[in-house]
């Protein structure tokens, strides 16, 4: 079973796969996989849905930004999985 605290703690505390996050500077697989998945999903959502201070972008732009690491570095295996299902994600959002 996945411990929700393992997801929430590093996710909300802005840890990054490349170790440049905070507060603990966790890097790579030191960040629980659940938190890594949620961080990637949240980034995609932030990009396509926008935020009060930031305009949304198209699905294609969001996918490219994540792929090109314009919004932080994510686990490359998770990015590959995300890219493989990006068309399905787009179809479900329409």
């Amino acid at each position: 079973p996945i411990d929700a605290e393992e997801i929430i703690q590093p996710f909300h505390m802005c840890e990054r796969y490349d170790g440049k996050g905070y507060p603990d500077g966790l890097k790579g697989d030191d960040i629980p996989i659940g938190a890594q998945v949620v961080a990637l999903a949240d980034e995609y959502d932030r990009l396509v849905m926008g935020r009060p201070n930031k305009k949304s972008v198209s699905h294609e732009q969001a996918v490219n930004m994540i792929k090109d690491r314009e919004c932080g570095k994510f686990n490359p295996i998770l990015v590959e999985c995300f890219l493989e299902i990006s068309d399905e994600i787009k179809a479900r959002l329409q």
Side-chain angles (χ1 to χ4, degrees):
I2 295 177
D3 181 356
E5 189 172 332
E6 285 185 352
I7 295 172
I8 295 167
Q9 179 68 21
F11 170 65
H12 283 295
M13 295 301 180
C14 302
E15 299 293 356
R16 291 176 34 139
Y17 193 76
D18 61 6
K20 295 180 180 178
Y22 60 89
D24 299 320
L26 297 178
K27 183 176 183 176
D29 293 332
D30 291 338
I31 304 167
I33 190 68
Q36 293 181 48
V37 170
V38 171
L40 180 55
D42 184 66
E43 184 63 24
Y44 173 79
D45 180 72
R46 182 188 69 77
L47 291 167
V48 298
M49 301 304 283
R51 295 295 188 260
N53 61 340
K54 198 144 193 159
K55 288 186 176 183
S56 63
V57 300
S58 71
H59 167 81
E60 291 77 12
Q61 288 173 300
V63 169
N64 285 329
M65 290 172 76
I66 290 169
K67 179 180 73 175
D68 296 338
R69 300 184 197 163
E70 290 180 40
C71 31
K73 186 174 179 185
F74 297 103
N75 180 329
I77 295 169
L78 291 181
V79 171
E80 188 62 35
C81 292
F82 170 76
L83 295 175
E84 287 178 17
I85 63 167
S86 66
D87 290 340
E88 183 179 337
I89 293 169
K90 180 180 179 181
R92 288 180 181 223
L93 293 176
Q94 294 179 340

